[in-house]
Amino acid sequence: MSCSKFYSAGHLRHMRLSMVGRLSNEGFIESIKKLPHLESLEISYVGQLSKETFEVIGRHCPLLKTLKCFWTVLDIDDVDIDVSVAIAETMPRLQHLKFSGNMPTNEGLLAILDGCPLLESLDLEECYSCFSFGYSESLEKRCREKIKDFRPPNCYFSDDCYSD
C-alpha cells in the first residue's frame, strides 16, 4: 500500500500490514496520523518499530480496540519494555492484544495490565522468548485473574519457563 492510499483512507477502520520491510518508522508515523477511525491494527514483520511509533498509534487512533504485533527478534531488551509501556500509556481502550514472536518482559506485561483496564483478551501463545525473560508464574496468575481470554506463552518445557 502506497502512502498516497493511506492519506485517502481517513475512515479506515481495520488495517493489516504484512511483510513490509521497507516501511520506516517515520513513514508509518506520518501515515498512522491520518487514520483516527482505526479500530484494529495488525503489524507483521515490519522490522523494529520504535516506542514513539506505538505512542503515535495510541494518540492518533483513539478508537483502537485490537492490536496484533508479529515480529521476530529485537536486539535490545529495553525496546520490548518501551513498546509495552507505550501501549499501556496510550491505549487505555485496548480490548484485544496479541504478541507473536517476541515476548514482552514481566515489567512490560505489568504495565499493560495496569494501563489497559478494558483488556479482555491477551494472546502470548506464539511468543517464543519466555526463557530469556524469566516468565513469571505469579504474573501468569495475575493475567488469568484479570483477563477473560488469556493465552500464555507456549513454553515447551514449562518448569523452565518460570522465574518464581
Side-chain angles (χ1 to χ4, degrees):
M1 179 181 276
S2 70
C3 285
S4 63
K5 289 183 182 179
F6 271 120
Y7 298 132
S8 65
H11 293 292
L12 190 67
R13 292 178 47 217
H14 306 281
M15 184 168 66
R16 179 180 184 197
L17 295 174
S18 180
M19 304 297 279
V20 187
R22 293 186 178 180
L23 181 66
S24 68
N25 272 315
E26 295 80 17
F28 183 69
I29 285 172
E30 288 308 309
S31 298
I32 206 74
K33 288 178 180 180
K34 310 285 185 195
L35 303 172
H37 299 286
L38 203 61
E39 294 178 19
S40 175
L41 176 61
E42 182 175 321
I43 306 169
S44 300
Y45 305 109
V46 293
Q48 185 170 319
L49 295 176
S50 69
K51 174 185 178 184
E52 179 188 7
T53 304
F54 286 89
E55 289 171 342
V56 169
I57 292 168
R59 286 192 192 108
H60 291 274
C61 303
L63 303 177
L64 193 68
K65 296 177 186 172
T66 301
L67 178 62
K68 297 179 181 180
C69 301
F70 301 84
W71 55 61
T72 51
V73 177
L74 296 176
D75 295 330
I76 305 168
D77 292 345
D78 289 342
V79 172
D80 284 323
I81 295 170
D82 288 347
V83 166
S84 299
V85 169
I87 290 169
E89 290 178 348
T90 65
M91 302 181 196
R93 293 185 185 100
L94 204 60
Q95 295 175 8
H96 310 282
L97 178 60
K98 177 175 182 159
F99 285 108
S100 182
N102 272 22
M103 172 77 184
T105 63
N106 287 346
E107 294 85 3
L109 280 176
L110 284 170
I112 289 169
L113 290 175
D114 292 338
C116 302
L118 303 178
L119 200 60
E120 295 175 10
S121 67
L122 176 59
D123 187 345
L124 305 173
E125 195 169 46
E126 295 175 6
C127 292
Y128 57 82
S129 57
C130 54
F131 300 109
S132 59
F133 287 123
Y135 183 63
S136 165
E137 187 173 4
S138 62
L139 182 56
E140 180 175 332
K141 181 181 177 192
R142 181 167 175 210
C143 288
R144 289 188 185 280
E145 291 170 352
K146 181 177 178 1
I147 307 296
K148 181 179 177 181
D149 180 17
F150 174 65
R151 295 180 183 187
N154 189 6
C155 298
Y156 296 105
F157 306 103
S158 60
D159 291 343
D160 296 334
C161 289
Y162 298 114
S163 64
D164 52 284

